[in-house]
Every structure is written in C-alpha cells, then in structure tokens.
C-alpha cells in the first residue's frame, strides 16, 4: 500500500521541527499546497502524519481505539507533571471513568455558585493588583496599561482556585502554591514530549514541585475528613472524594490529588490565553467593546447608573458576549495540534488526501497522527473572510457559523450544553475543544469563567490597543506575542 507523502527535509532527526514549531499555521498551509490534505513530517525523530480539513479531523478525532492512542502520544509530557495513575498514565477506559468523576463537579448548581465568586475575584484583583490598583474611577481621565497575558494568567488561576480548586488552594495562592505551580508549569516544554527526564534544572524543579503538590492535596483531603465543612461543597475535591470505579474500587486520595493537578494545568493556559485574546480584540475594536458594554447595561442596569450581579443563566444568554468568545476560539484555539499514536496500520478514507478508489493510502503503525482543527477553523473554502475577527458571524442569519451553532444547540443529544458547546461531531470544522472520546470536559467551566471575567472587566474598564499582536507558538499553546500591553482607564460608575 502507498504511504502518505513525506515533507522534504535534510536533517534526519530534526526534519521539519523548526518550521512547524515556529509557525504551524504557515507550515500546514504551505504543505497542503504542496502535498494535499494528508502528509507526513518528521518532528524530533517522530513521523507525524497530518490530516487536514473536516475529513482529516474526522479520521483522527473519530479514530477507533484499535487504531489510535492518545496515551502514547501525551504521557511523556503529562505524567511527570500530573503524577501517576491518572489521565494518560492509565488505559483509555480508566480515563473515561475519571472524566465521568470530574463531571460530577461540573454541575449547573456549582456553576451558579461560581459566577458570584469569580465576580468577587475580579473586583479584588482590580483593587489590589499593582497594574490596576492605582487607577480609580474618580480620576478616570488617566490611562494605565497592563500586559494582557500576564495579568489574565493571574486572574485565571485566582478564579480557578477560588471555584474548582477550593478554599485551601485559594488561601495559598499568594504563598507556597504559586511557586509550586510555576515550577510544575516549567515542565511543559516541547522537548519533554520526546525526552521528559533529562536532568535539566526545569525538570528537576518540576519533579520536586509535583511531589510537593501531591502532598498538599493529600493533606487537604485528610484535614477535610477530620473536620468537614459546608464551605467546600461546591469544589472539585468535594465531587471527587466519594467516587468509585465501575468495579467498585474507590478513587484513591493520590488519584484525586493527581486529577486536581491535571485539571489545574488543563484549564490554566487555555483559559488565560483565551481571555487575553478576547481583551486584545475588544481593545482593538472599540465598536464591539461598546456593544459588549451596552449589552451589560441593557440587561443589568439598576436604573441609578450601577449594574447588578448577573446570574449564571442570565450570563449565558448574552449573544454579544457569547459570540466574542466563540469567535476568539475560532481564530486563536489554544491547542493547535492534537496528537495520537498509530497502533495498527490505518487506511486513509479514499476521498481524503491523494488516496482514491484505486489507490489506497495507509498510515503505518508507529507513526503519530496530528489533527489541526485550527486550520479548518480558518479555511477559506469554509468561512467567509476567515482571518477576520468578526463575532457577528455567529449570529448572522444563514451563515455557516450560525448554522453550526443552531444544529448544535437544537439537535445535541447530550444533557445541558448550557455554556455553549457547538460541535459535537468529529467532522465539524469548528472544534476548539476537540471532539470524540477525548473531547474537553472543561468547556462549560471555561465559558463560566471567561464570560464572568469579560463581563466584569468591560463593566469596569475602557480598553484600547493599536493592533492585535501575532501568535507566539513557542509557549506550546497559542499565546499573544509581546508587546501585548492594553491601555485602560476606569469607567466612571
Ligand atoms: C481535552 C481545549 C479548558 C480539561 C481538551 C482538548 C482540547 C481542549 C482541544 C482535546 C485534546 C485532544 O483531543 O487531544 C480546551 C480549551 C479550554 C479548555 C480551548 C479553555 C478555553 C479546560 C478546563 C479543563 C479542561 C477548564 C478542566 C476543568 C480537559 C480534560 C480533557 C480536555 C480533562 C480530556 C483529555 C482527554 O480525554 O484526552 N481540552 N480546554 N479543559 N480538557 Fe480542555
């Protein structure tokens, strides 16, 4: 059988690592031009077969367990950071059970409680963070500035710890926990996908921090057992502590600790990058910022110039707020490459790539496959003005985006998609949260967090920036390149 075409390269181990690593969008578009939708490139010694477009998304995201395996693609990177016995350190059926446990903590009831907590955190942040605290509403003609990504990373971890992680983590946020988090995060490097245990300083710090973090959670679990408190009813530790696997085995404290670390890491850069991009875009588009602000005033005005707190249900029904996030995730999905290892020879459907009815194409066992929904999300064959940030496409009658949104909300078979899931299909052109068995379970939480943060910030601040910075890909997730300072002044309330 035929193999997919291999991208031309000179150095055997390095292959296309540099051009892919510097700008995956540019690399994928250029290679598609040359080789078609399916091609193989060499990434630090691995043979990685990319399959682009909706059919490529479908082949990989909907791939059978007998063909593709996520653990083997990700475990090097994740297991030293999360710890053993969770996520990609266990067989797929165990991960599926663990995802089910986590869903017990991601309930509408909890989300209702989170909106107010996040609101308070934003307020506290603006009053205490050094970029903001010197500027108050009474001298609102003075403009300050903040680094969008840096500030939003802080606000994201503060709000996640206040809600999902629980009060013990929140109370250590300005202390021991912050350093442990930084050290663990330093273990997320591209090199670690291949060689996670080279005794480099960052890996040694990662290992130490991971042990300390495990102990930190174990200690909380122990203390909570000795002294139960209703205050912690809404957090993830509370949801995980009584779960059992289908065979009756209770989830161990160590597994809980490691799941908590996994959730912390999974939700941190993804959410903080997304909220930064949202702010950068509304700072750039004054008209849309104004519309977003007016949407808040229209729904939450007390009539005396002040705005009241939103409820969870109210927040998720706001079309401008919602489509700003949706559109931002289309252009800046934090994860640009979703990988699996091929565990048995994988035939490419004949309508994909340069396979055809009389020419079968097979991806050999041992290769990796890579889905890049980031490309179908800006495919000029699919979207009108694909590179333009235009939230109104999601509400425009007859548009593809509106169609995707409607199909999803009207025909989704699963329960409470509340905070806007769109694409359930593995062949959807829009899947910032992935699809299929590895689909994100944090989407609804992320929407609660993003919507509340954005709503609160636009109520308090006016923002401006000359242009939206380009993507930085060296951070593993797509983050905004420096400089990314947004100018702001307090709104007069
Ligand atoms: C999986 C994106 C926030 C937990 C995924 C995947 C994507 C994604 C694309 C699929 C990965 C793959 O198929 O290889 C995002 C984005 C987020 C976000 C864009 C925010 C804007 C969160 C949050 C949490 C979370 C807040 C936790 C509370 C997870 C988990 C998985 C996952 C547990 C499943 C991994 C698996 O089954 O293999 N996410 N995520 N994510 N995400 Fe998220």
């Amino acid at each position: 059988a035929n193999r997919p075409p291999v991208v031309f390269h000179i150095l055997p181990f390095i292959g296309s690592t540099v051009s892919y690593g510097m700008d995956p969008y540019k690399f994928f578009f250029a290679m598609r031009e040359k080789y078609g939708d399916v091609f193989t490139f060499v990434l630090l010694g691995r043979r990685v077969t990319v399959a682009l477009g909706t059919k490529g998304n479908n082949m990989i995201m909907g791939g059978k367990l007998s063909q593709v395996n996520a653990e083997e693609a990700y475990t090097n990177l994740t297991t030293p950071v999360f710890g053993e016995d969770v996520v990609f350190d266990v067989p797929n059926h165990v991960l599926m059970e663990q995802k089910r446990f986590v869903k017990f903590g991601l309930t509408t009831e909890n989300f209702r409680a989170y909106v107010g907590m996040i609101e308070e955190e934003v307020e506290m942040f603006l009053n205490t963070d050094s970029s903001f605290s010197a500027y108050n509403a009474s001298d609102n003609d003075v403009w300050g500035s903040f680094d969008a990504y840096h500030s939003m990373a802080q606000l994201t971890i503060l709000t996640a710890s206040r809600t999902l992680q629980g009060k013990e983590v929140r109370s250590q946020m300005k202390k021991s926990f912050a350093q442990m988090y930084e050290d663990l995060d330093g273990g997320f490097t591209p090199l670690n996908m291949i060689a996670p245990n080279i005794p480099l300083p960052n890996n040694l710090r990662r290992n130490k921090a991971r042990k300390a973090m495990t102990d930190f959670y174990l200690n909380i679990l122990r203390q909570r057992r000795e002294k139960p408190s209703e205050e912690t009813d809404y957090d993830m530790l509370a949801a995980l502590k009584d779960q059992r696997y289908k065979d009756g085995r209770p989830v161990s404290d160590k597994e809980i600790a490691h799941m908590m670390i996994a959730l912390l890491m999974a939700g941190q850069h993804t959410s903080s990058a997304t909220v930064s991009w949202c702010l950068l875009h509304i700072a750039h588009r004054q008209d849309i910022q104004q519309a977003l602000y007016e949407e808040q005033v229209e729904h939450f005005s007390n009539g005396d110039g002040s705005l009241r707190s939103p409820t969870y249900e109210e927040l998720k029904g706001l079309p401008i707020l919602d489509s700003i996030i949706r559109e931002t995730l289309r252009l800046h999905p934090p994860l640009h490459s979703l990988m699996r290892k091929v565990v048995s020879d994988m035939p490419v459907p004949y309508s994909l790539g340069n396979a055809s009815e009389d020419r079968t194409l097979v991806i050999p066992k041992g290769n990796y496959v890579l889905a890049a929904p980031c490309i179908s999300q800006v495919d000029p064959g699919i979207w009108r003005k694909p590179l333009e940030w235009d939230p109104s496409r999601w509400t425009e009658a007859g548009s593809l985006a509106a169609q995707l949104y409607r199909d999803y909300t009207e025909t989704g078979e699963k329960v409470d998609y509340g905070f806007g899931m769109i694409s359930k299909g593995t062949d959807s052109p829009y899947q910032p949260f992935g699809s299929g068995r590895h689909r994100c379970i944090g989407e609804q939480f992320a929407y609660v967090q993003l919507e509340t943060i954005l709503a609160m910030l636009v109520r308090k601040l006016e923002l401006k920036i000359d242009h939206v910075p380009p993507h930085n890909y060296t951070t593993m997730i797509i983050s905004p390149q420096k400089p990314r300072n947004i100018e702001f002044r307090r709104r007069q309330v």
Side-chain angles (χ1 to χ4, degrees), residues 61 70 74 87-88 95-96 99 106 164 263 266-267 270-271 274 329 334-335 338-340 431-435 437-443 445-446 449-450:
M61 306 309 284
Y74 293 141
V87 191
F88 302 120
L95 169 59
M96 294 301 124
K99 286 173 81 170
L106 300 170
L164 281 187
L263 296 176
T270 45
S271 286
T274 305
L329 284 166
L335 305 177
L338 310 178
M339 307 251 214
R340 308 285 184 260
Q431 32 182 309
F433 294 93
S435 61
R437 64 174 55 244
H438 288 284
R439 195 185 197 290
C440 187
I441 47 173
E443 175 173 11
F445 173 78
Q449 190 182 29
L450 295 167

Side-chain angles (χ1 to χ4, degrees), residues 38-214:
V38 182
F39 52 86
T40 299
F41 73 101
V42 174
L43 173 64
L44 298 175
R46 290 181 170 186
R47 295 173 79 83
V48 179
T49 302
V50 181
L52 298 174
T54 52
K55 287 177 183 152
N57 291 347
N58 191 39
M59 179 181 85
I60 296 171
M61 306 309 284
K64 296 196 185 75
L65 275 183
S66 60
Q67 292 179 326
V68 293
N69 173 303
E71 300 91 277
E72 291 188 46
Y74 293 141
T75 188
N76 279 351
L77 185 69
T78 57
T79 302
V81 176
F82 303 165
E84 314 84 58
D85 302 334
V86 300
V87 191
F88 302 120
D89 190 45
V90 291
N92 186 266
H93 67 94
V94 180
L95 169 59
M96 294 301 124
E97 289 207 64
Q98 293 177 345
K99 286 173 81 170
R100 185 168 53 83
F101 301 153
V102 171
K103 284 191 187 157
F104 280 94
L106 300 170
T107 59
T108 304
E109 192 194 351
N110 288 1
F111 295 152
R112 287 194 185 121
Y114 292 170
V115 172
M117 296 178 183
I118 297 172
E119 190 182 349
E120 262 176 47
E121 289 293 335
V122 175
E123 193 132 336
M124 251 178 346
F125 183 72
L126 292 182
N127 289 335
T128 54
D129 183 83
S130 59
S131 298
F132 299 94
S133 56
Y135 301 85
N136 48 46
S138 55
D139 46 47
N140 80 327
D141 50 342
V142 189
W143 290 80
S145 95
F146 63 97
D147 177 305
Y149 191 52
H150 178 74
S151 293
M152 290 309 112
Q154 294 182 52
L155 195 48
T156 301
I157 200 166
L158 286 169
T159 53
S161 62
R162 175 74 185 274
T163 53
L164 281 187
Q165 293 282 326
K167 72 177 173 86
E168 298 89 342
V169 174
R170 177 64 187 85
S171 69
Q172 289 299 315
M173 218 44 248
K174 294 264 177 235
K175 303 175 195 155
S176 61
F177 196 87
Q179 190 59 51
M180 285 192 285
Y181 167 77
E182 287 300 322
D183 288 350
L184 259 189
D185 192 47
F188 268 128
T189 66
L191 180 62
N192 282 0
M193 293 196 67
I194 311 294
N197 290 315
I198 302 174
L200 296 168
N202 70 312
N203 288 342
L204 300 175
R205 279 198 298 268
R206 171 200 66 191
N207 296 349
K208 201 164 152 246
R210 218 273 303 139
K211 287 202 188 76
M213 190 87 102
T214 303

